[in-house]
Every structure is written in structure tokens, then in C-alpha cells.
Amino acid sequence: MKKSKLLMIVGSLLLLGLFVFPLWNITLEAPQYPIPLGMDIHINKFEDTHEFDIKNINLMNHYVGMQYIPETIPEFKIFPWAVGIMVVLGVIIGLKGNYKLFLAWFIVMSVLGIAGMYDFYLWEHDYGHNLNPKAIMKFTNPDGSIMGFQPPLFGSKDILNFKAHSYPRTGAYLMFIGMLLTVVAFFVGKKESKS
């Protein structure tokens, strides 16, 4: 089997790691929580980093009027199908060996990834800004506007006495490596076609 085909197939199969490992993690650090609260985000569920973390986050958020983190969201039905289809397509394209299709697969996967991150941003924005006006505690910005509690999309951010962290996890790293391998497969395939 040509090296380019193998790279494309392996790169596509690495996306299966998303079914096993978390894609993303949000962690909240604060003096009153010696062990930070955290939530792992998989392609099909939210999961506590430590037992009862999501329950504790929901209890805290209730006081400032934030929505509860739901058991499920519509994306959890879509993401597994999208990833599964892209894995199957990637393997079929790898077996065909047309290096131009390797690049097309990478572009489609990149668009899906960007759309997923944008959707995550919109969810975070709604979650952090669509506050219950009857909340027990109300906080305002220096200009008098209602303070939002949106966690960062990527990186760290101070929110009142909390430090929120939002970073990719193992599933995301496997996906990035897999996508990188498909780009390498494209260049290797291009070179193979000339020789």
C-alpha cells in the first residue's frame, strides 16, 4: 500500500478517538473550591471531571441567573454522525488513493470543525449572557450594564472570584493529529503521482 494511502486511512481513523476521549474541558478555580470544578465535553455528552462537578456548577450558576447545564443538547445527536461519516469517507478516499480528494476531505473536516467551534461559542455566549432577571444575585459592569459570565472559548479568564479555563482534551488532539496526517498524505500523494 502506498504511504499516502496509509497516512490518509490512519489520519481518518484517529477521529474515532472522539468516541472514547473528551473533546474539550472547562475548569473553574476559586478559593472556596480547593479541588477545581470541571466539565469534560464529549461529542455526545457532558461529563463531570470529578463527581458532582456539574451539579455544583449548576447550583452556583443559579444564584447569578445562569441557565443549568443541560443533560443533553441537539448537537450530541449530530456530532457522532458527522464524525462517523467523515471517518468512513476518509477510509474510502484513502483506499481509492486520489491525493486531491485527501485535500478535499481535510477542507470539509476543517469547515465542520470551525462550525462546531462557532456553535460552541454561541452556546457559551447564550449560557453566560441570557440571565434570569429574577436571579438572587445581580452583578453589573462599571458602565452599569449587566455582567455576563461567559467562559472563554479557548484559554483562561477571570470571572468574579473564579478563574475559568477552557482547553482541548485528548479527543481534540487526536483529531488535530489525524487532520495533519491527511495534509501530509496529500503532499506525499502528490509526490508519489509524479514519480
Side-chain angles (χ1 to χ4, degrees):
M1 181 179 280
K2 287 184 177 177
K3 192 174 180 181
S4 62
K5 287 181 164 189
L6 191 60
L7 286 167
M8 182 65 201
I9 291 168
V10 170
S12 302
L13 290 174
L14 281 176
L15 267 66
L16 292 174
L18 290 167
F19 289 95
V20 180
F21 301 105
L23 175 65
W24 215 263
N25 175 272
I26 296 177
T27 301
L28 300 171
E29 293 178 358
Q32 67 267 40
Y33 293 99
I35 298 172
L37 300 175
M39 176 177 73
D40 288 325
I41 302 167
H42 294 256
I43 61 167
N44 61 349
K45 65 182 175 181
F46 296 121
E47 190 173 75
D48 298 306
T49 302
H50 306 99
E51 192 176 14
F52 305 120
D53 277 359
I54 294 174
K55 181 180 179 183
N56 287 324
I57 292 168
N58 279 335
L59 287 170
M60 239 181 0
N61 290 348
H62 170 72
Y63 289 108
V64 295
M66 292 174 74
Q67 303 165 53
Y68 286 115
I69 296 165
E71 289 280 324
T72 188
I73 56 176
E75 289 85 344
F76 289 161
K77 289 185 174 83
I78 299 165
F79 290 161
W81 279 100
V83 170
I85 289 167
M86 289 307 291
V87 169
V88 170
L89 277 176
V91 170
I92 291 169
I93 290 168
L95 291 171
K96 280 191 83 159
N98 182 340
Y99 74 91
K100 291 176 184 172
L101 291 177
F102 299 173
L103 187 60
W105 182 94
F106 173 79
I107 290 167
V108 170
M109 191 63 207
S110 297
V111 168
L112 289 173
I114 291 165
M117 289 300 290
Y118 181 65
D119 182 69
F120 181 43
Y121 170 80
L122 292 177
W123 179 81
E124 279 190 328
H125 186 273
D126 181 60
Y127 175 73
H129 289 89
N130 187 9
L131 306 177
N132 183 344
K134 296 178 182 175
I136 296 165
M137 301 169 78
K138 292 186 172 100
F139 295 92
T140 55
N141 294 311
D143 66 0
S145 61
I146 300 293
M147 183 182 286
F149 300 97
Q150 180 179 355
L153 180 65
F154 180 85
S156 297
K157 176 182 176 182
D158 291 320
I159 305 172
L160 296 175
N161 67 325
F162 284 88
K163 188 154 196 91
H165 307 281
S166 178
Y167 290 102
R169 284 295 184 255
T170 306
Y173 293 126
L174 289 172
M175 179 180 70
F176 296 146
I177 292 166
M179 289 176 69
L180 181 63
L181 285 178
T182 65
V183 172
V184 172
F186 167 75
F187 288 108
V188 171
K190 192 174 182 180
K191 190 176 177 183
E192 286 171 350
S193 72
K194 288 177 181 174
S195 54

